[in-house]
Amino acid sequence: MTVRLYDTKAQALRDFVPIDPANVTIYVCGPTVQSGPHIGHLRGALSFDILRRWLSHRFGRTTFVRNVTDIDDKVLANASDDEPWWALAYRMELAFTRAYGAVGILPPTYEPRATASIPQMQEMVQRLIDAGHAYPADPGTDAAGDVYFDVRSWGDYGSLTNQSIDAMEAAEDADPRGKRDARDFALWKGAKAGEPASATWDSPWGPGRPGWHIECSAMSRRYLGAQFDIHGGGLDLRFPHHENELAQSTAAGDAFARYWVHNGLVTVGGQKMSKSLFNFILADDVLSVRDPLTVRYALGAAHYRSSLDITESTFDEADAALDRIRTFLERAARADGHPGRYADAELPEAFAVAMDDDLGVPQALAVVHETVRAGNVALDAGDTDAAARAAGQVSAMTSVLGVNPLEAPWTTADGSGAASALDTLVQTMIAQRAAARAEKDWAAADRIRDAIAAAGIALEDSADGTHWSLDG
């Protein structure tokens, strides 16, 4: 067993060897909650949910930290007199939580808010000043109260993205008049006129608030220690956010992340989905018209490092794939005289090999569907034992990916919900068709059959009755 992950700092696949083999530690940059989630946010969170599930399967335990950036320029900009920044941030945080939960993303081990770790951020800023890697702005300028990281003081600055300092653009996160170099970035932002008093904290450099980058460095250290296994986030965070995190943490004396993992972006018409470009698709809009399991499958089926261009067919194909899985598992359960005998089935080797190789989900799903095909062939041949073994493997594979259609949260113990309502309607029509056939009213029976087929529902007549499935 060797798990390999693509380390974006090394720009290569590396064998994953955790610091503690009994507890894999992961930090993922969570949302900045100035507005609600779009499907790009879901895709990113889902990528690391699958990574977490697989590493938990391989190593037994993960400590997974995903932060909430609840104080930031964007949060302040979107606040209003009727809804102060902290109320907006909390409302949007709840929206993210609902969307994540809807698509089956496991809650993090810890989910710290930036505003709850201000002392830890200030302590790190002071360490950087003491080490000569940060400096306060001149108190006689408009930038008074700001503290900046001195990028030229740290020889490894640019190592994450393999850039030279002179090739980088200026940092636009604070008043450039207070900086020694335009590329220096803000660690602490002094309070400015027009900003709410509630968004400031006392500090040795005057009242203010933290810069964006220092937040994650301080929170990852607080919850995972000075060194941890994996730092994750979207590819768009590599620069400047993750580059700056790496620089300030290591300059402060922390070993920081051993592996850097970044997910690819969601595109619309080939263009990156972004709130700033106004081309985003809100998660709530998708979830209002698509089954959450379909959304999970669609966003998770591509390799996590690839770009994913979203169209309606993306979800249609996911629907069809899930229906093939669901129909087979239900057929196998009906045919098996000893249900559950393969509940503890092991994962097929080809599936495990694919997942170990940098989370090869597309290849792993190919194994799932090949096993479904083999199981259906076994059912057609009357080999219920082989079909039951295949069903056990399909259940195991889809469970570890979080897309088993017969497991929670996609089903409920009492059968409530839309699926149950549809089943009631179809069973009523099946009973009416059976009654018509019993009375030799073939015309009526055919009309009912045609109506069911027109709704995209396939019927399967067997010795133990008639069963239905969505026609994929």
Side-chain angles (χ1 to χ4, degrees):
M1 180 195 76
T2 302
V3 176
R4 297 197 308 163
L5 294 174
Y6 186 84
D7 184 343
T8 46
K9 184 174 186 293
Q11 298 184 33
L13 284 169
R14 294 177 58 202
D15 290 351
F16 177 67
V17 181
I19 300 168
D20 178 359
N23 180 26
V24 176
T25 48
I26 305 171
Y27 183 89
V28 173
C29 287
T32 299
V33 286
Q34 82 269 23
S35 56
H38 56 59
I39 58 172
H41 294 119
L42 289 190
R43 196 271 175 109
L46 179 56
S47 296
F48 290 101
D49 183 66
I50 294 172
L51 174 63
R52 176 191 185 181
R53 288 170 183 263
W54 185 246
L55 294 180
S56 295
H57 172 77
R58 279 306 196 203
F59 295 95
R61 179 187 173 192
T62 59
T63 298
F64 187 91
V65 179
R66 183 184 66 221
N67 78 294
V68 175
T69 297
D70 60 341
I71 182 65
D72 180 81
D73 291 347
K74 297 173 184 177
V75 176
L76 294 180
N78 284 4
S80 67
D81 292 339
D82 294 330
E83 186 175 43
W85 67 270
W86 48 266
L88 168 68
Y90 184 57
R91 180 167 64 87
M92 292 299 105
E93 178 186 337
L94 293 178
F96 273 89
T97 300
R98 285 194 302 270
Y100 289 159
V103 295
I105 293 171
L106 299 172
T109 312
Y110 307 111
E111 191 170 24
R113 297 183 184 122
T115 52
S117 294
I118 301 295
Q120 289 76 17
M121 297 171 200
Q122 293 180 352
E123 186 272 335
M124 181 170 279
V125 172
Q126 189 61 58
R127 276 198 288 150
L128 288 167
I129 293 173
D130 294 342
H133 297 300
Y135 59 92
D138 188 327
T141 69
D142 290 342
D146 290 357
V147 180
Y148 306 108
F149 183 85
D150 183 351
V151 295
R152 293 191 182 276
S153 76
W154 188 243
D156 284 341
Y157 187 69
S159 62
L160 179 64
T161 52
N162 197 27
Q163 297 184 81
S164 69
I165 292 177
D166 292 328
M168 296 177 186
E169 295 182 358
E172 299 179 350
D173 60 348
D175 190 334
R177 289 175 293 182
K179 299 180 179 183
R180 297 173 183 170
D181 187 295
R183 299 160 189 82
D184 293 349
F185 57 89
L187 300 171
W188 187 260
K189 297 183 176 184
K192 302 296 187 291
E195 293 182 348
S198 60
T200 63
W201 288 262
D202 290 335
S203 82
W205 319 286
R209 55 188 170 86
W212 177 30
H213 314 300
I214 199 69
E215 295 179 348
C216 286
S217 284
M219 285 186 284
S220 62
R221 187 181 200 279
R222 182 180 183 185
Y223 290 92
L224 295 176
Q227 185 179 43
F228 53 94
D229 291 317
I230 297 171
H231 194 312
L235 193 62
D236 55 339
L237 295 180
R238 287 177 67 229
F239 187 86
H241 186 47
H242 288 170
E243 187 75 75
N244 291 349
E245 280 187 63
L246 175 61
Q248 66 200 9
S249 289
T250 50
D254 294 343
F256 209 48
R258 299 177 68 244
Y259 298 82
W260 289 85
V261 177
H262 291 92
N263 64 275
L265 306 178
V266 172
T267 60
V268 178
Q271 187 178 37
K272 171 198 165 185
M273 181 181 300
S274 168
K275 290 180 179 178
S276 62
L277 296 175
F278 300 100
N279 66 340
F280 53 87
I281 302 172
L282 291 177
D284 283 351
D285 291 344
V286 174
L287 292 169
S288 68
V289 296
R290 292 288 186 172
D291 185 285
L293 177 55
T294 297
V295 176
R296 180 183 178 94
Y297 190 102
L299 297 180
H303 193 273
Y304 78 93
R305 286 196 288 118
S306 66
S307 293
L308 178 61
D309 199 58
I310 290 294
T311 65
E312 284 301 313
S313 66
T314 307
F315 299 108
D316 292 339
E317 291 165 7
D319 253 337
L322 285 165
D323 189 55
R324 288 193 294 273
I325 295 169
R326 181 186 294 107
T327 299
F328 165 63
L329 291 176
E330 290 175 344
R331 283 189 73 200
R334 291 194 300 268
D336 188 9
H338 306 281
R341 54 182 164 147
Y342 294 113
D344 298 324
E346 293 187 3
L347 297 172
E349 182 180 359
F351 178 92
V353 168
M355 293 297 290
D356 280 343
D357 187 14
D358 196 33
L359 291 189
V361 172
Q363 295 79 11
L365 286 172
V367 178
V368 171
H369 288 288
E370 178 55 38
T371 309
V372 167
R373 283 190 288 272
N376 278 320
V377 169
L379 283 171
D380 294 341
D383 189 347
T384 56
D385 190 62
R389 281 197 301 272
Q393 291 180 328
V394 170
S395 293
M397 290 185 285
T398 54
S399 293
V400 81
L401 293 174
V403 293
N404 188 330
L406 304 187
E407 285 186 343
W410 318 120
T411 59
T412 55
D414 61 359
S416 62
S420 178
L422 179 59
D423 181 63
T424 299
L425 291 172
V426 176
Q427 293 295 352
T428 298
M429 296 181 75
I430 289 173
Q432 291 171 346
R433 174 174 172 259
R437 294 173 71 182
E439 296 173 3
K440 298 186 174 8
D441 188 349
W442 308 119
D446 288 346
R447 283 197 301 273
I448 296 170
R449 179 201 61 203
D450 293 344
I452 292 174
I457 295 169
L459 298 182
E460 178 190 2
D461 293 316
S462 65
D464 63 339
T466 300
H467 306 283
W468 69 273
S469 63
L470 295 175
D471 190 352

Coordinates of all heavy atoms in Angstrom, one line a residue, residues 302-363:
A302 N -14.7 13.8 -12.1 CA -13.5 14.2 -12.8 C -12.3 14.2 -11.9 O -12.5 14.2 -10.6 CB -13.6 15.6 -13.4
H303 N -11.1 14.0 -12.4 CA -9.9 14.0 -11.5 C -9.8 15.4 -10.8 O -10.1 16.4 -11.4 CB -8.7 13.8 -12.3 CG -7.5 13.5 -11.5 ND1 -6.7 14.5 -11.0 CD2 -7.0 12.4 -11.0 CE1 -5.7 14.0 -10.2 NE2 -5.9 12.7 -10.2
Y304 N -9.5 15.4 -9.6 CA -9.6 16.6 -8.7 C -8.6 17.7 -9.3 O -8.9 18.9 -9.0 CB -9.2 16.3 -7.3 CG -7.8 16.1 -7.0 CD1 -7.0 17.1 -6.5 CD2 -7.1 14.8 -7.1 CE1 -5.6 17.0 -6.2 CE2 -5.8 14.7 -6.8 CZ -5.1 15.7 -6.4 OH -3.7 15.6 -6.1
R305 N -7.6 17.3 -10.0 CA -6.6 18.4 -10.4 C -7.0 19.0 -11.8 O -6.4 19.9 -12.3 CB -5.2 17.8 -10.5 CG -4.6 17.6 -9.2 CD -3.1 17.5 -9.3 NE -2.7 16.2 -9.8 CZ -2.0 16.0 -11.0 NH1 -1.7 17.1 -11.7 NH2 -1.7 14.8 -11.4
S306 N -8.0 18.3 -12.4 CA -8.4 18.8 -13.8 C -9.4 20.0 -13.7 O -10.1 20.2 -12.7 CB -9.1 17.7 -14.5 OG -10.3 17.3 -13.9
S307 N -9.5 20.8 -14.7 CA -10.5 21.8 -14.8 C -11.8 21.0 -15.2 O -11.8 20.0 -15.9 CB -10.2 22.8 -15.9 OG -9.1 23.6 -15.6
L308 N -12.9 21.5 -14.7 CA -14.2 20.9 -14.9 C -15.2 21.9 -15.5 O -15.5 22.9 -14.9 CB -14.8 20.4 -13.6 CG -16.2 19.7 -13.6 CD1 -16.2 18.5 -14.6 CD2 -16.6 19.4 -12.2
D309 N -15.5 21.8 -16.8 CA -16.4 22.7 -17.5 C -17.8 22.2 -17.3 O -18.2 21.0 -17.6 CB -16.1 22.8 -19.0 CG -16.7 24.0 -19.6 OD1 -16.3 25.1 -19.1 OD2 -17.4 23.9 -20.5
I310 N -18.7 23.0 -16.7 CA -20.0 22.6 -16.3 C -21.0 22.9 -17.4 O -21.1 24.0 -17.9 CB -20.4 23.3 -15.0 CG1 -19.6 22.7 -13.8 CG2 -21.9 23.1 -14.7 CD1 -19.9 21.3 -13.5
T311 N -21.8 21.9 -17.7 CA -22.9 22.0 -18.6 C -24.1 21.2 -18.1 O -23.9 20.4 -17.1 CB -22.6 21.5 -20.1 OG1 -22.4 20.1 -20.0 CG2 -21.4 22.2 -20.6
E312 N -25.3 21.3 -18.7 CA -26.4 20.5 -18.2 C -26.1 19.0 -18.4 O -26.5 18.1 -17.6 CB -27.7 20.9 -19.0 CG -28.3 22.2 -18.5 CD -28.7 22.1 -17.1 OE1 -29.3 21.1 -16.6 OE2 -28.3 23.1 -16.3
S313 N -25.3 18.7 -19.5 CA -25.0 17.2 -19.7 C -24.2 16.7 -18.6 O -24.2 15.4 -18.4 CB -24.4 17.1 -21.1 OG -23.1 17.7 -21.1
T314 N -23.4 17.5 -17.9 CA -22.6 17.0 -16.8 C -23.5 16.3 -15.8 O -23.2 15.2 -15.3 CB -21.8 18.2 -16.2 OG1 -21.1 18.9 -17.1 CG2 -20.9 17.7 -15.1
F315 N -24.6 17.0 -15.5 CA -25.5 16.4 -14.5 C -26.4 15.3 -15.1 O -26.7 14.3 -14.4 CB -26.4 17.5 -13.9 CG -25.6 18.6 -13.2 CD1 -25.5 19.9 -13.8 CD2 -25.0 18.4 -12.0 CE1 -24.7 20.9 -13.2 CE2 -24.2 19.4 -11.4 CZ -24.1 20.6 -12.0
D316 N -26.7 15.4 -16.3 CA -27.5 14.3 -17.0 C -26.7 13.0 -17.0 O -27.2 11.9 -16.7 CB -27.9 14.7 -18.4 CG -28.9 15.8 -18.5 OD1 -29.6 16.1 -17.4 OD2 -28.9 16.5 -19.5
E317 N -25.4 13.1 -17.3 CA -24.6 11.9 -17.3 C -24.4 11.3 -15.9 O -24.4 10.1 -15.7 CB -23.2 12.2 -17.9 CG -23.3 12.6 -19.4 CD -22.0 13.3 -19.9 OE1 -21.0 13.3 -19.1 OE2 -22.0 13.7 -21.1
A318 N -24.3 12.2 -14.9 CA -24.2 11.7 -13.5 C -25.5 11.0 -13.1 O -25.5 10.0 -12.5 CB -23.9 12.9 -12.6
D319 N -26.6 11.6 -13.5 CA -27.9 10.9 -13.2 C -28.0 9.5 -13.8 O -28.4 8.6 -13.1 CB -29.1 11.8 -13.9 CG -29.9 12.5 -12.8 OD1 -29.9 12.1 -11.6 OD2 -30.5 13.5 -13.2
A320 N -27.6 9.4 -15.0 CA -27.6 8.1 -15.7 C -26.7 7.1 -15.0 O -27.1 5.9 -14.8 CB -27.3 8.2 -17.2
A321 N -25.5 7.6 -14.7 CA -24.5 6.7 -14.0 C -25.0 6.2 -12.7 O -24.9 5.0 -12.3 CB -23.2 7.4 -13.9
L322 N -25.6 7.1 -11.9 CA -26.1 6.7 -10.6 C -27.3 5.7 -10.7 O -27.5 4.8 -9.9 CB -26.6 7.9 -9.8 CG -25.4 8.8 -9.2 CD1 -25.9 10.1 -8.8 CD2 -24.8 8.0 -8.0
D323 N -28.1 6.0 -11.8 CA -29.3 5.1 -11.9 C -28.8 3.7 -12.3 O -29.5 2.7 -11.8 CB -30.2 5.6 -13.0 CG -31.5 4.8 -13.1 OD1 -32.2 4.7 -12.0 OD2 -31.8 4.3 -14.1
R324 N -27.8 3.5 -13.1 CA -27.2 2.2 -13.4 C -26.8 1.5 -12.1 O -27.0 0.3 -11.9 CB -26.1 2.3 -14.4 CG -26.5 2.6 -15.8 CD -25.4 2.4 -16.8 NE -24.3 3.3 -16.6 CZ -24.2 4.5 -17.1 NH1 -25.2 5.0 -17.9 NH2 -23.2 5.3 -16.9
I325 N -26.1 2.3 -11.2 CA -25.6 1.7 -9.9 C -26.8 1.3 -9.1 O -26.9 0.2 -8.5 CB -24.7 2.7 -9.2 CG1 -23.4 3.0 -10.0 CG2 -24.4 2.2 -7.8 CD1 -22.6 4.1 -9.5
R326 N -27.7 2.2 -8.9 CA -28.9 2.0 -8.0 C -29.7 0.8 -8.5 O -30.1 -0.1 -7.7 CB -29.8 3.2 -8.0 CG -31.0 3.1 -7.1 CD -31.9 4.3 -7.2 NE -31.2 5.5 -6.7 CZ -30.8 6.5 -7.4 NH1 -30.9 6.4 -8.8 NH2 -30.2 7.6 -6.9
T327 N -30.0 0.7 -9.8 CA -30.8 -0.4 -10.4 C -30.1 -1.7 -10.1 O -30.8 -2.7 -9.8 CB -31.0 -0.1 -11.9 OG1 -31.7 1.1 -12.1 CG2 -31.9 -1.2 -12.5
F328 N -28.8 -1.8 -10.4 CA -28.1 -3.0 -10.1 C -28.2 -3.5 -8.7 O -28.5 -4.6 -8.3 CB -26.7 -3.0 -10.6 CG -25.8 -4.1 -10.1 CD1 -26.1 -5.4 -10.4 CD2 -24.8 -3.9 -9.1 CE1 -25.4 -6.5 -9.9 CE2 -24.1 -4.9 -8.6 CZ -24.4 -6.2 -9.0
L329 N -27.9 -2.5 -7.8 CA -27.9 -2.9 -6.3 C -29.3 -3.3 -5.9 O -29.4 -4.3 -5.1 CB -27.5 -1.7 -5.5 CG -26.0 -1.3 -5.6 CD1 -25.7 0.0 -4.8 CD2 -25.1 -2.4 -5.2
E330 N -30.3 -2.7 -6.4 CA -31.7 -3.1 -6.1 C -32.0 -4.5 -6.7 O -32.7 -5.3 -6.0 CB -32.7 -2.0 -6.5 CG -32.6 -0.7 -5.7 CD -33.5 0.4 -6.2 OE1 -34.0 0.2 -7.4 OE2 -33.7 1.3 -5.5
R331 N -31.6 -4.7 -7.9 CA -31.9 -6.0 -8.5 C -31.2 -7.1 -7.8 O -31.7 -8.2 -7.5 CB -31.3 -6.0 -10.0 CG -32.2 -5.3 -11.0 CD -31.6 -5.6 -12.4 NE -31.8 -7.0 -12.8 CZ -31.2 -7.6 -13.8 NH1 -30.1 -7.0 -14.4 NH2 -31.5 -8.9 -14.1
A332 N -29.9 -6.8 -7.4 CA -29.1 -7.9 -6.7 C -29.7 -8.2 -5.3 O -29.8 -9.3 -4.9 CB -27.7 -7.4 -6.5
A333 N -30.2 -7.1 -4.7 CA -30.8 -7.3 -3.3 C -32.1 -8.2 -3.4 O -32.3 -9.0 -2.6 CB -31.1 -6.0 -2.7
R334 N -32.9 -7.9 -4.5 CA -34.1 -8.7 -4.7 C -33.8 -10.2 -5.0 O -34.5 -11.1 -4.5 CB -35.0 -8.2 -5.8 CG -35.6 -6.8 -5.5 CD -36.7 -6.5 -6.5 NE -36.2 -6.4 -7.8 CZ -35.7 -5.3 -8.4 NH1 -35.7 -4.1 -7.7 NH2 -35.3 -5.3 -9.7
A335 N -32.7 -10.4 -5.7 CA -32.4 -11.8 -6.1 C -31.7 -12.6 -5.1 O -31.7 -13.8 -5.1 CB -31.5 -11.7 -7.4
D336 N -31.0 -11.9 -4.2 CA -30.1 -12.6 -3.2 C -31.0 -13.2 -2.1 O -31.7 -12.5 -1.4 CB -29.1 -11.6 -2.6 CG -28.1 -12.3 -1.7 OD1 -28.0 -13.5 -1.7 OD2 -27.3 -11.6 -1.1
G337 N -30.8 -14.5 -1.9 CA -31.5 -15.2 -0.9 C -31.0 -15.0 0.5 O -31.6 -15.3 1.5
H338 N -29.8 -14.4 0.6 CA -29.1 -14.1 1.8 C -28.6 -12.7 1.8 O -27.4 -12.4 1.8 CB -27.9 -15.1 2.1 CG -28.3 -16.5 1.9 ND1 -28.9 -17.2 2.9 CD2 -28.2 -17.4 0.9 CE1 -29.2 -18.5 2.5 NE2 -28.7 -18.6 1.3
P339 N -29.5 -11.7 1.9 CA -29.1 -10.3 1.8 C -28.1 -9.9 2.9 O -28.2 -10.3 4.0 CB -30.4 -9.6 2.0 CG -31.3 -10.5 2.7 CD -30.9 -11.9 2.2
G340 N -27.1 -9.1 2.4 CA -26.1 -8.6 3.3 C -24.9 -9.6 3.5 O -24.0 -9.2 4.3
R341 N -24.9 -10.7 2.9 CA -23.8 -11.7 3.1 C -22.5 -11.1 2.7 O -21.4 -11.6 3.1 CB -24.1 -13.0 2.5 CG -24.4 -13.0 1.0 CD -24.8 -14.4 0.5 NE -25.4 -14.4 -0.8 CZ -25.2 -15.3 -1.7 NH1 -24.5 -16.3 -1.4 NH2 -25.9 -15.2 -2.8
Y342 N -22.5 -10.2 1.8 CA -21.2 -9.6 1.3 C -21.1 -8.1 1.7 O -20.5 -7.3 1.0 CB -21.1 -9.7 -0.2 CG -21.0 -11.2 -0.7 CD1 -22.0 -11.8 -1.4 CD2 -19.8 -11.9 -0.4 CE1 -21.9 -13.1 -1.8 CE2 -19.7 -13.2 -0.7 CZ -20.8 -13.8 -1.5 OH -20.6 -15.1 -1.9
A343 N -21.7 -7.8 2.8 CA -21.7 -6.4 3.3 C -20.3 -5.9 3.6 O -20.0 -4.7 3.5 CB -22.6 -6.3 4.5
D344 N -19.4 -6.8 4.0 CA -18.0 -6.5 4.3 C -17.1 -6.8 3.2 O -15.9 -7.1 3.4 CB -17.6 -7.2 5.6 CG -18.4 -6.8 6.8 OD1 -18.8 -5.6 6.9 OD2 -18.7 -7.7 7.6
A345 N -17.6 -6.7 1.9 CA -16.7 -7.0 0.8 C -15.5 -6.1 0.7 O -15.6 -4.9 1.0 CB -17.5 -6.9 -0.5
E346 N -14.4 -6.6 0.3 CA -13.2 -5.8 0.2 C -13.3 -5.0 -1.2 O -13.9 -5.4 -2.1 CB -11.9 -6.7 0.2 CG -11.7 -7.4 1.5 CD -10.3 -8.1 1.5 OE1 -9.6 -8.1 0.5 OE2 -10.0 -8.7 2.5
L347 N -12.5 -3.9 -1.2 CA -12.5 -3.1 -2.4 C -11.7 -3.9 -3.5 O -10.6 -4.5 -3.2 CB -11.8 -1.8 -2.1 CG -12.5 -0.9 -1.2 CD1 -11.6 0.3 -0.9 CD2 -13.8 -0.4 -1.8
P348 N -12.1 -3.9 -4.7 CA -11.3 -4.5 -5.8 C -10.0 -3.9 -5.9 O -9.8 -2.7 -5.7 CB -12.2 -4.3 -7.0 CG -13.6 -4.1 -6.5 CD -13.4 -3.4 -5.2
E349 N -9.0 -4.7 -6.2 CA -7.6 -4.2 -6.2 C -7.5 -3.0 -7.2 O -6.8 -2.0 -6.9 CB -6.6 -5.3 -6.6 CG -5.2 -4.9 -6.6 CD -4.2 -6.0 -6.9 OE1 -4.7 -7.1 -7.1 OE2 -3.0 -5.7 -7.0
A350 N -8.1 -3.2 -8.4 CA -8.0 -2.1 -9.4 C -8.5 -0.8 -8.9 O -8.0 0.3 -9.2 CB -8.7 -2.5 -10.7
F351 N -9.6 -0.8 -8.1 CA -10.2 0.4 -7.5 C -9.2 1.0 -6.6 O -8.9 2.2 -6.6 CB -11.5 0.0 -6.8 CG -12.1 1.2 -6.1 CD1 -13.1 2.0 -6.8 CD2 -11.8 1.6 -4.8 CE1 -13.7 3.1 -6.1 CE2 -12.4 2.6 -4.2 CZ -13.4 3.4 -4.8
A352 N -8.6 0.2 -5.7 CA -7.6 0.7 -4.7 C -6.4 1.3 -5.4 O -5.9 2.3 -4.9 CB -7.3 -0.4 -3.7
V353 N -5.9 0.6 -6.4 CA -4.7 1.1 -7.1 C -5.0 2.5 -7.7 O -4.2 3.4 -7.7 CB -4.3 0.1 -8.2 CG1 -3.3 0.7 -9.2 CG2 -3.7 -1.2 -7.6
A354 N -6.2 2.6 -8.3 CA -6.6 3.9 -8.9 C -6.6 5.0 -7.9 O -6.1 6.1 -8.1 CB -7.9 3.8 -9.6
M355 N -7.2 4.7 -6.7 CA -7.4 5.7 -5.7 C -6.0 6.1 -5.0 O -5.7 7.2 -4.7 CB -8.3 5.3 -4.6 CG -9.8 5.2 -5.1 SD -10.5 6.8 -5.6 CE -10.6 7.6 -4.0
D356 N -5.1 5.1 -4.9 CA -3.8 5.3 -4.3 C -3.0 6.2 -5.3 O -2.1 6.9 -4.8 CB -3.1 4.0 -4.1 CG -3.5 3.3 -2.9 OD1 -4.1 3.9 -2.0 OD2 -3.2 2.1 -2.7
D357 N -3.3 6.2 -6.6 CA -2.5 6.9 -7.5 C -3.1 8.3 -7.7 O -3.8 8.6 -8.7 CB -2.5 6.2 -8.9 CG -1.6 6.8 -9.9 OD1 -0.7 7.7 -9.5 OD2 -1.7 6.5 -11.1
D358 N -2.8 9.2 -6.7 CA -3.3 10.6 -6.8 C -4.8 10.7 -6.9 O -5.3 11.5 -7.7 CB -2.5 11.3 -7.9 CG -2.6 12.8 -7.7 OD1 -2.7 13.3 -6.6 OD2 -2.7 13.5 -8.8
L359 N -5.5 9.9 -6.2 CA -7.0 9.9 -6.2 C -7.5 9.8 -7.6 O -8.2 10.7 -8.1 CB -7.5 11.2 -5.6 CG -7.4 11.4 -4.1 CD1 -8.1 12.6 -3.6 CD2 -7.8 10.2 -3.3
G360 N -7.3 8.7 -8.3 CA -7.7 8.5 -9.6 C -9.2 8.2 -9.7 O -9.6 7.0 -10.0
V361 N -10.1 9.1 -9.3 CA -11.5 8.8 -9.2 C -12.1 8.4 -10.6 O -12.9 7.5 -10.6 CB -12.3 10.0 -8.6 CG1 -13.8 9.8 -8.7 CG2 -11.9 10.2 -7.2
P362 N -11.7 9.0 -11.7 CA -12.3 8.5 -13.0 C -12.0 7.0 -13.2 O -12.9 6.3 -13.7 CB -11.6 9.4 -14.0 CG -11.3 10.6 -13.3 CD -10.9 10.2 -11.9
Q363 N -10.8 6.6 -12.9 CA -10.4 5.2 -13.1 C -11.1 4.3 -12.1 O -11.5 3.2 -12.4 CB -8.9 5.0 -13.0 CG -8.1 5.7 -14.1 CD -7.9 7.2 -13.9 OE1 -8.2 7.7 -12.8 NE2 -7.4 7.9 -14.9

